[in-house]
Structure formats: structure tokens, C-alpha cells
Amino acid sequence: MLSFPNCKINLGLRIVSKRTDGYHDIETVMYPVKNLCDILEILPYDCEDIDFSVTGMTVDGPSEDNICIKAYRAVQREYPQVKGVYMHLHKAIPMGAGLGGGSSDAAFVIRGLSDLFGLGLSMAQMERLASEVGSDVPFFIKNVPAIATGRGECLEEYPHLLGGYQLVLVKPEISVGTAEAYAGVAPYRSEIRLSEALIRCPIGEWKTGIVNDFEASVFTRYPVIARIKADLYRLGADYASMSGSGSAVFGIFDREADVDLSCFSGMFVHREILG
């Protein structure tokens, strides 16, 4: 069984409050980027456990800590009929970028195991399992635009605001860790919901009001990330922002815009027309 876990971008990201469990409540709109994908293969294997391997981009940490294995264990705990599998992951989505690549891999593991072992899990059942694995994992179960609140696991489907627009995604060699990004933010609660602000304003006006709260501290620490955002606006982006808590920055352009990306030489660059 072969699947292609895709990534996402965040349209705005507000840090609303610090929780008693150590996490933060957030408000953001997650939007799937369908053509930047990892490759995940899951096959039945004659054993009682998982044989897991990774190729492609380097994945930090021991393989037994990989989020794909955590997703496998979460499903197996509740459904003992899930037996041994061979699982291979080819990484193409950059890590530490705020694109949710690892979370997507985990969600596709849950979806794949449901299909492979005939579990027939509903979306709600898969989302519940996904929430046990990681905050962003439930988003990739349905994999459609959604406003995310709570830790990011409370989802409400959202209109496809960017269909037909051109996305340019740029990541420098720098990676930003989640804990590092959260250390520089101060929670606050806005009077207007982010989802309302996005719908009220045309995309050309998002620049003045749709903010990723991680940018202020991350840009101070890593000026190259701030320069990427400025360059995307210089090249004509209707809107540009850091995605999530990582180092990737995206620009939203008119579908027909001829964007010269030579200024990002040496960086990871991805371009696609959004659905």
C-alpha cells in the first residue's frame, strides 16, 4: 500500500493562552499543500511488530522514536488484529519547517492501517487516534482546509480561500524547533476570530492584519527568515507569512504571475497551484 503524505501551511497563527498541561491553545487556519509530499509504503509482514526504514532527507533521532511508529503503536493498542508490517518512509518534506510533514506521515499511517487490516475506522475514530499521537496529526485525516483551535486538534472545516492561487514556498537551511519558537511568544486573545478576519478581508489586505505570532521572535533570532518574507513581497506576493513554528515562508501569488525565484538560490523552493 503506497500513499503520499502531503504538507500544510498556516494562514495566520495566534497563541491564545498557556494551558495547565504545558501546551498552548492556538488559533490558526491550516491549508493543505497537496503536491509537496513524502512517500509512505506499508505492507503486511510475517511478524508481530513493525519493520521500519527511512530514506530521503535526514530524520533526526532514533528510528524507534519516529512519529510513524508512534502512530502504529496507537492503532495497535486499540486494535490487536493489527499485526506485523513493513513500513518504509521516503522523506521529501523538510523538517523543522512548520509544514507538518511528520504529522502528515503519522496520519497516513493511521489511514493506511485502517485500510490494510480492514478496520473500517470512521473519520472521527481516526481523528481521535491521531490526537493521541500529536497536535497537528488530526488535521491530515480529512486533509481539507480547517480552522484549528485547542492544541491544534479541534478542527472545523473552512472554505477553500486559495483555490487557483500560486503558492511559492521557501525554506533556508535553518530549522526552528517547536520549543524554541514557543519560548519567544506571549499569549493573547483577540476580539475578532482569525477565521472571521480571513473571510472579511480580500487576500491583498491580509498583510496588515493576518499575523503569525511566532514571526516576531523568530525573525529577530534568524534575520534570513525575515528577508525571505520581504523578498516574497518584493516579488509581488499578495500575502506572505512564516508557516507554523518553523523556518519555511510562503508567498501567495496570482496564478499567472511569473515569479523569478533566483534570489532563493541554495534554499529549498517549492511552487504549485493550490486546490
Side-chain angles (χ1 to χ4, degrees):
M1 177 175 294
L2 198 65
S3 63
F4 300 90
N6 59 278
C7 65
K8 56 82 179 168
I9 55 174
N10 294 79
L11 304 181
L13 197 156
R14 294 174 177 172
I15 312 301
V16 177
S17 63
K18 180 72 177 289
R19 297 159 56 112
T20 57
D21 59 8
Y23 290 94
H24 289 77
D25 283 323
I26 66 168
E27 184 185 16
T28 187
V29 170
M30 296 184 184
Y31 205 98
V33 177
K34 292 296 181 73
N35 293 331
L36 177 54
C37 308
D38 293 336
I39 304 172
L40 178 68
E41 184 177 35
I42 308 176
L43 298 172
Y45 196 50
D46 187 19
C47 67
E48 293 299 314
D49 203 27
I50 179 173
D51 184 354
F52 180 71
S53 60
V54 182
T55 55
M57 293 183 174
T58 301
V59 177
D60 297 331
S63 60
E64 60 265 24
D65 292 337
N66 190 279
I67 196 169
C68 291
I69 295 182
K70 293 179 180 179
Y72 170 81
R73 302 274 183 236
V75 177
Q76 192 182 49
R77 278 195 298 271
E78 291 202 25
Y79 300 94
Q81 62 267 47
V82 173
K83 300 296 184 181
V85 298
Y86 169 74
M87 188 181 300
H88 180 78
L89 175 67
H90 182 80
K91 284 298 295 179
I93 302 171
M95 298 181 64
L99 300 174
S103 296
S104 183
D105 296 336
F108 276 69
V109 167
I110 294 169
R111 291 166 54 173
L113 292 175
S114 177
D115 290 342
L116 186 63
F117 289 93
L119 303 180
L121 299 182
S122 67
M123 290 292 183
Q125 288 173 310
M126 289 190 287
E127 286 176 347
R128 181 182 57 76
L129 286 167
S131 68
E132 298 175 10
V133 180
S135 298
D136 289 349
V137 181
F139 167 75
F140 291 100
I141 297 296
K142 289 184 179 176
N143 211 11
V144 297
I147 180 164
T149 55
R151 292 184 292 114
E153 84 284 12
C154 301
L155 302 168
E156 178 185 345
E157 289 190 35
Y158 200 69
H160 288 62
L161 297 175
L162 299 179
Y165 279 88
Q166 179 181 175
L167 171 78
V168 173
L169 185 64
V170 183
K171 182 193 177 294
E173 291 186 3
I174 296 163
S175 294
V176 180
T178 302
E180 178 186 10
Y182 270 103
V185 297
Y188 74 99
R189 191 177 297 274
S190 176
E191 293 182 2
I192 300 176
R193 291 188 73 197
L194 174 63
S195 55
E196 295 175 4
L198 284 164
I199 288 178
R200 284 184 188 182
C201 300
I203 292 175
E205 296 179 11
W206 287 2
K207 179 178 181 179
T208 60
I210 307 302
V211 177
N212 182 328
D213 286 347
F214 289 117
E215 287 186 352
S217 62
V218 170
F219 284 179
T220 299
R221 188 172 179 85
Y222 302 106
V224 64
I225 302 177
R227 288 197 296 272
I228 293 171
K229 180 176 177 178
D231 284 340
L232 288 168
Y233 274 126
R234 179 179 58 80
L235 292 169
D238 292 319
Y239 178 68
S241 175
M242 197 171 86
S243 182
S245 60
S247 58
V249 182
F250 66 89
I252 304 298
F253 294 81
D254 182 83
R255 183 188 185 99
E256 305 301 328
D258 184 13
V259 186
D260 180 3
L261 302 178
S262 59
C263 61
F264 303 122
S265 177
M267 301 182 188
F268 177 92
V269 177
H270 172 78
R271 176 174 8 199
E272 73 175 73
I273 303 299
L274 293 170

